[in-house]
Each structure stands twice: as structure tokens, then as C-alpha cells.
Amino acid sequence: MKKIRIPILLIIVLLSFVCCKKSKPEIVNNELIDGHPAWIMQSNIYEVNVRQYTPEGTLNAFAKHLDRLKAMGVETIWFMPINPISKVDRKGSLGSYYAVSDFTSINPEFGTMEDFKNVVKAIHDRGMKVIIDWVPNHTGADHRWLKQHPDFYVKDSTGKAAVAFDWADVRQLDFKNPVLQDSMVAAMKFWIKDTDIDGFRCDVAWNVPANFWKKSIPQLKKMKNVFMLAEGDSTYLPKSGFDAVYPWHMFKMMEKVAKGKRPAFSLDSINKENETRYPKNTIQMYFTSNHDENSWNHADYGTFPNEVHAPFAVFTQTMKNSVPLIYSGQEEPTLRAIKFFDKDPMEFKNLKREKFYKTLLHLRKRNVALSANASFKKVDLGDKNVIYAYTREKDNKKILVILNFSDKEQSIKISDKTLLGKTHNVFSEKVETLSGSERKIKPWGYEVYEY
């Protein structure tokens, strides 16, 4: 046989390649778009308050709603903290979800670890994703670290673990301690490895230093293509690896527009501000309510009451660089402040907003023009003080959104010829021909068209 000579250098390169391939962790569904998990770009988030979702207040009881939520169009389930709650300095009869006593266990109020794994599997089996609320800034007042690792905590003037802000039931962690950082990362990895979750919503992310996020997030993303959502709008958060942040500036402006304190075009100033504040393609999680806004600030029944809610909900579902949020009970709707520290179950009987949300959620899923990175262009259709209209466009797909942010009927007229002609009226579910003639839009009205 003829001997084949292979250069030693080539052998070394080949062996090195094989070794490197074996040493890299396996990443499941690792497709990225603009640096984010591809699956989040046309997705949405539904926040689950397990305690209040059902009379039982358990994971298994919540799981009975999965088929309904899937049919409504929910893509990503966000569970509020599922960890055990500290008993020391507990608020109310059941305590705050955010006073965690153990980072790697399940709150027995909700069920067992096996229950949670089963729910995650049930969600995945329906083609949906799961993220959990993570509380890295502090622990509850009887977390085992207080005795085992007192150096993990910031100290007050008496040498005791300091209370975080004015939250008497929690103690402030000290992220200057590298061992604390490693312990926190290990706990987060546990949930990915052992329960197969798809990401984290990080509570009080704005008070945890950038060096921790820059250290932890790459490690988590090497394990799985996780979605990282920061509670906060600090510019260092997306620069530190978060996929999405909270749109607090926009939300506060939405509130002012809803009350007639600012004109509709004030929303443009926030869009321009975001373009300069954040890295390009930073995602923001838009909402009309969440657990904090509901329990403490009367959202959405107070901030966007009655018919005021709809145009702002459409806005949150169709804005650029966004992933929209629906909070537990908004589809009913639950129009009261849900108690935070005591049992106060919601009811799901009428589901008066279900079809409204279903229309928006399915539209986002099927039409790439509502992808987080689709283009955005304002359209002048009438009185800029109250009419807010825009197009979203990508891959030859286009959406036109027309919103009336006032309690009076308004006149609108489309002068852009590219927007005239046959369209699909999303809410009437009919083909409609748009002309350049002047027409009316009802108080707090909303219209969405597909091209």
C-alpha cells in the first residue's frame, strides 16, 4: 500500500479542532437575531401570579389553564418567584414572593419541584417557553446564608445584615464578595440544568453591579439560549448582556397621555430618547400592567380605565423594539388591586378581553412586521395631539396602526399612497379598501391593518 504522508501541523490542527468541539457545552436552539434568542423576536410574555391565579394557588392548578393560554396566543410564561418565602419579618399572612429563603427550592405553597418540572414540560410540549422571576439583589430575613455566609451581606451600622432599601422583610446582598457572586451564578445554573427553563426576569436588576451580569449572563447563555429580562431601564443593563429592559420612561409618558396631560406626539420624544440611550436593537418589555403596577398603582383599571385601555394595549403590542406583556387576569379583566401578601384569588369566568388579546398575539406571531427588529415609521393622519399612527415593516410585510388617544371622535385621512388600497382589517377580520377620503375614528379607537 502507498503510504500517505500527513503533515504533523495538520494533525495538530485536526486534533485541536476535535478537542475544542468536545469541550464546548451543547447549546439547544441557539439561533440568534441581533444577539437575542430568535424565539423571543415575535413572542410575547404572560406573567403568572401562581398564588392568586386559582383558589388552590398551586402550579398544578395553574397548569389547567395552559390550553386556554396557548389558544389565546401566549408564547412565553413568566412565573413570579416560585422559591420558598422567609418567615422572619414576613409581611401579611403569606409574605412577599420576593423575600426568598432558598434559591434552589420550590415554595411548598405552590407544590413540589417535581410539580414545577412537570409544568415546564407541559409548557414546552405546547411549544411555549418558560422564564422565572429571579431575586438576586437580596434574600429573605431567614435565608440560610445569613448564618452560613454572613459575609455575603451588606452590614448596617450595628454590624447586622442591612435591610434592602425600606423593605423590612429582606436583607441586602453584597456583590463585592466574589464567593457570593459564584454562589448566585450556581443557583441560576441549577434552574436551567435541572428544570430546563428558558430564561430569567431579574428583579431589581438595576441595583446589582454590571460586573456580576457580565460574568453571569455569558455563562448562562453557554448552557442554553436563554432570554434575560432586566427589571430596570439603566443603560448599563443591555450593555451588560440583558436582552430586554423595562420601558419606564415610555410607560410614564403613556400614563400622562391617557390622562390628557401630554399630547400623543410626546411618545415620539421617548422613542428618540431610547435611540440615544440604549445599544441598537435593545428590546423593551411594553405593558399596561404588571404585578407591581397592579398592586400598588391601580394599573390597568386606574391608569388606563375602561375603554382607555384598548388603544394603549394595542400600542404595547405593536411598538418597535418591543416584546409585549400581559399580566395575570387582564384577559378577564380583573379590575382591582390584587393583594400582595395575602390570599386573593382571581376569577376567570367572562374573559371579556380574551378575543381582543388573541387577535393581537396571533397577529404578532404570524406577521414578521411586528418582530422586535422590524422598522417603525410615524404616519400623519390627523390631529397630532391625539392621533398616533405608524407603520411597522419587514421582509415585504407591513402593518398600519391607528390610535385615538382621546375621548372624542376624530377625523383621519390617509395621504400616503403606499397605504391605500386593499388591506386586511385585523379586528374586523375582513378585507378592506383604504382610500384617501376623510373618515372618523371613535373615541379611544384603534385600527390595525395588514398589507
Side-chain angles (χ1 to χ4, degrees):
M1 293 179 65
K2 186 177 179 181
K3 291 183 178 180
I4 300 174
R5 297 179 180 275
I6 301 176
I8 293 176
L9 180 60
L10 179 58
I11 294 173
I12 293 172
V13 171
L14 288 171
L15 288 173
S16 174
F17 176 77
V18 172
C19 291
C20 289
K21 289 290 285 184
K22 288 183 177 179
S23 65
K24 287 183 179 179
E26 182 181 357
I27 301 178
V28 182
N29 297 325
N30 64 342
E31 184 182 354
L32 298 175
I33 296 177
D34 296 336
H36 308 303
W39 57 263
I40 198 65
M41 301 304 283
Q42 284 178 246
S43 189
N44 55 69
I45 300 174
Y46 183 92
E47 182 184 5
V48 177
N49 185 333
V50 178
R51 175 187 289 166
Q52 313 295 18
Y53 209 90
T54 62
E56 300 91 337
T58 64
L59 290 161
N60 289 336
F62 162 73
K64 296 175 183 178
H65 289 261
L66 286 176
D67 287 334
R68 175 181 69 80
L69 294 174
K70 174 65 177 177
M72 192 170 79
V74 171
E75 293 284 330
T76 304
I77 298 289
W78 155 24
F79 286 108
M80 289 176 67
I82 53 175
N83 306 105
I85 296 170
S86 288
K87 295 180 180 179
V88 172
D89 293 337
R90 174 175 284 194
K91 294 184 177 181
S93 61
L94 296 173
S96 168
Y97 315 88
Y98 296 87
V100 174
S101 66
D102 187 338
F103 283 117
T104 54
S105 296
I106 291 285
N107 185 348
E109 175 190 341
F110 299 158
T112 66
M113 183 65 73
E114 195 63 27
D115 291 336
F116 181 68
K117 290 179 181 180
N118 289 337
V119 170
V120 171
K121 184 179 184 302
I123 292 169
H124 285 164
D125 286 347
R126 288 163 174 77
M128 303 156 75
K129 302 290 186 181
V130 185
I131 65 174
I132 62 171
D133 219 322
W134 194 252
V135 191
N137 179 72
H138 49 263
T139 73
D142 59 14
H143 193 287
R144 60 184 173 83
W145 285 351
L146 284 159
K147 291 183 177 180
Q148 296 175 1
H149 302 284
D151 56 323
F152 281 9
Y153 294 83
V154 173
K155 299 297 188 294
D156 63 19
S157 59
T158 68
K160 295 180 180 179
V163 170
F165 303 100
D166 59 349
W167 306 327
D169 56 340
V170 297
R171 304 294 182 264
Q172 180 67 51
L173 288 167
D174 184 0
F175 276 86
K176 294 178 182 177
N177 187 320
V179 181
L180 175 275
Q181 290 201 20
D182 290 341
S183 299
M184 187 64 70
V185 174
M188 297 178 83
K189 286 181 176 180
F190 163 83
W191 290 95
I192 298 175
K193 181 177 181 295
D194 281 41
T195 70
D196 198 27
I197 63 166
D198 303 292
F200 297 90
R201 178 268 186 188
C202 296
D203 184 65
V204 197
W206 49 268
N207 199 50
V208 175
N211 66 358
F212 173 74
W213 297 126
K214 290 178 180 178
K215 172 182 180 179
S216 62
I217 292 177
Q219 293 184 52
L220 302 176
K221 286 183 176 284
K222 282 182 181 178
M223 296 179 67
K224 191 175 183 180
N225 192 20
V226 291
F227 171 63
M228 298 297 295
L229 166 63
E231 187 206 15
D233 60 2
S234 301
T235 56
Y236 85 88
L237 293 169
K239 293 176 183 177
S240 300
F242 278 101
D243 296 293
V245 296
Y246 272 47
W248 285 122
H249 290 207
M250 183 65 83
F251 183 76
K252 296 304 180 186
M253 187 61 74
M254 287 164 55
E255 288 182 310
K256 293 175 182 177
V257 172
K259 290 179 171 61
K261 295 181 178 179
R262 294 297 299 274
F265 64 79
S266 296
L267 301 171
D268 293 335
S269 64
I270 307 299
N271 274 329
K272 291 179 181 178
E273 176 186 286
N274 288 337
E275 289 174 1
T276 58
R277 291 185 75 219
Y278 295 122
K280 186 178 180 181
N281 297 320
T282 296
I283 297 173
Q284 297 185 70
M285 184 185 69
Y286 279 69
F287 52 82
T288 54
S289 184
N290 59 44
H291 65 270
D292 281 323
E293 290 300 314
N294 168 263
S295 291
W296 313 120
N297 299 320
H298 310 295
D300 61 24
Y301 65 94
T303 51
F304 309 105
N306 303 315
E307 69 272 18
V308 180
H309 168 265
F312 286 96
V314 173
F315 178 80
T316 65
Q317 292 278 338
T318 58
M319 268 305 291
K320 66 174 183 175
N321 300 123
S322 71
V323 58
L325 172 76
I326 297 173
Y327 178 51
S328 295
Q330 283 197 277
E331 69 269 40
E332 175 62 15
T334 302
L335 301 178
R336 71 175 194 276
I338 301 298
K339 292 180 181 179
F340 210 79
F341 310 119
D342 303 284
K343 188 65 178 168
D344 186 17
M346 306 169 189
E347 290 185 340
F348 294 91
K349 292 183 177 179
N350 300 312
L351 301 174
K352 291 181 179 179
R353 288 185 188 161
E354 185 177 62
K355 184 178 180 181
F356 170 77
Y357 280 125
K358 182 177 182 178
T359 299
L360 290 166
L361 297 179
H362 282 267
L363 172 65
R364 180 181 174 90
K365 182 63 178 178
R366 74 170 179 265
N367 198 315
V368 70
L370 289 182
S371 177
N373 63 351
S375 70
F376 170 90
K377 182 181 178 181
K378 278 293 299 296
V379 180
D380 183 6
L381 298 184
D383 185 349
K384 296 179 182 179
N385 290 297
V386 293
I387 298 296
Y388 198 83
Y390 50 92
T391 58
R392 302 289 312 283
E393 190 168 1
K394 185 178 181 181
D395 297 345
N396 296 317
K397 298 289 186 180
K398 182 158 57 179
I399 298 284
L400 170 64
V401 180
I402 306 172
L403 305 171
N404 179 6
F405 288 139
S406 79
D407 60 359
K408 294 180 175 58
E409 183 180 73
Q410 299 293 328
S411 297
I412 57 174
K413 183 177 182 181
I414 301 175
S415 57
D416 185 341
K417 294 182 180 179
T418 66
L419 300 177
L420 303 179
K422 286 188 177 181
T423 66
H424 174 242
N425 185 317
V426 171
F427 283 97
S428 72
E429 300 180 327
K430 295 179 181 178
V431 174
E432 185 173 330
T433 300
L434 294 179
S435 72
S437 301
E438 185 175 282
R439 58 193 176 86
K440 302 294 184 181
I441 183 171
K442 65 181 182 180
W444 304 112
Y446 54 93
E447 298 176 7
V448 181
Y449 299 93
E450 285 183 283
Y451 291 80

